[in-house]
Amino acid sequence: MDTPKSQKLEVIIPAFRGHSQNFLMVLNGISEEDALKRIDGRTNHIIWMAGNFLDMRYAMGNVLGLHEEFEYRDFFFQGKTLDENFNYPELQQLKDSFHAISPLVYRSLLDVSDDDLDKAFPMGMNIDFFPENMLSFIGMCIGREDYLCGQIGLMRKILGYEGMKYDFDDDLKY
């Protein structure tokens, strides 16, 4: 495993890499048609969930100093509500964006310093036990990714797919 410059990220780095694997495995075999299905008109569809996952990756990149633009940002920024009138990108387009941003964010996570992680990053949460700094924001993004993979996993089952297989790709280094 790569060693981060900051010891504060010793838990985040494996989580990030694990989420990269989970994201690809949980989407494996989902058809484009099924990726747009909602349950009783009440759930988000898999495309929205995958796009929101990517919004987290791009948000982490931005806070870490990357200037990459998520081309589908207008659909997903900050958990924007699903709008059935939108023509959402295809699952494959989102996977392509995932492979573009993830190695850049991973490298930035390895290179960030403790001083940078301690920098204020106002989120307007005003919670006593939650410091509003870069490290907390990155932790929130990691938590959201975990949640979204779980939601997609549940949708797999509801749509009649097998549960996610844990076939880790040793060659995926982010």
Side-chain angles (χ1 to χ4, degrees), residues 40-60:
D40 296 329
R42 297 175 56 187
T43 64
N44 292 317
H45 48 55
I46 290 173
I47 292 288
W48 186 92
M49 295 173 199
N52 190 240
F53 181 103
L54 283 167
D55 187 54
M56 293 297 97
R57 287 279 160 117
Y58 278 88
M60 277 190 278

Side-chain angles (χ1 to χ4, degrees), residues 6-170:
S6 170
Q7 289 185 341
K8 293 178 181 185
L9 294 182
E10 287 183 349
V11 174
I12 297 291
I13 296 300
F16 183 91
R17 289 191 62 192
H19 291 175
S20 291
Q21 297 276 347
N22 289 343
F23 180 77
L24 296 171
M25 290 184 293
V26 79
L27 294 176
N28 187 39
I30 302 287
S31 72
E32 293 290 345
E33 179 183 350
D34 285 344
L36 288 169
K37 288 182 179 175
R38 300 177 68 201
I39 308 307
D40 296 329
R42 297 175 56 187
T43 64
N44 292 317
H45 48 55
I46 290 173
I47 292 288
W48 186 92
M49 295 173 199
N52 190 240
F53 181 103
L54 283 167
D55 187 54
M56 293 297 97
R57 287 279 160 117
Y58 278 88
M60 277 190 278
N62 287 334
V63 79
L64 291 165
L66 296 176
H67 300 288
E68 303 299 313
E69 183 78 25
F70 183 26
E71 70 180 295
Y72 306 112
R73 179 179 196 253
D74 292 342
F75 296 108
F76 307 110
F77 184 64
Q78 293 183 343
K80 184 176 187 171
T81 303
L82 186 144
D83 186 333
E84 291 193 33
N85 296 312
F86 287 169
N87 289 319
Y88 284 91
E90 293 182 357
L91 203 49
Q92 187 57 54
Q93 292 171 298
L94 295 175
K95 288 178 186 178
D96 293 344
S97 291
F98 166 83
H99 287 297
I101 192 61
S102 294
L104 302 175
V105 175
Y106 181 67
R107 179 57 42 205
S108 294
L109 286 169
L110 292 174
D111 291 340
V112 70
S113 70
D114 285 341
D115 288 341
D116 285 336
L117 290 170
D118 289 336
K119 286 182 182 173
F121 188 78
M123 294 174 262
M125 296 181 71
N126 300 317
I127 300 172
D128 290 342
F129 63 85
F130 191 86
E132 294 194 12
N133 59 28
M134 283 179 52
L135 179 61
S136 293
F137 180 76
I138 290 167
M140 277 184 46
C141 290
I142 291 291
R144 181 72 179 167
E145 286 184 356
D146 200 34
Y147 170 81
L148 290 161
C149 283
Q151 292 290 300
I152 296 169
L154 181 60
M155 288 294 286
R156 283 184 71 86
K157 297 296 283 180
I158 291 169
L159 293 170
Y161 289 86
E162 287 185 302
M164 182 180 95
K165 301 285 187 229
Y166 289 90
D167 297 327
F168 287 92
D169 180 356
D170 293 334

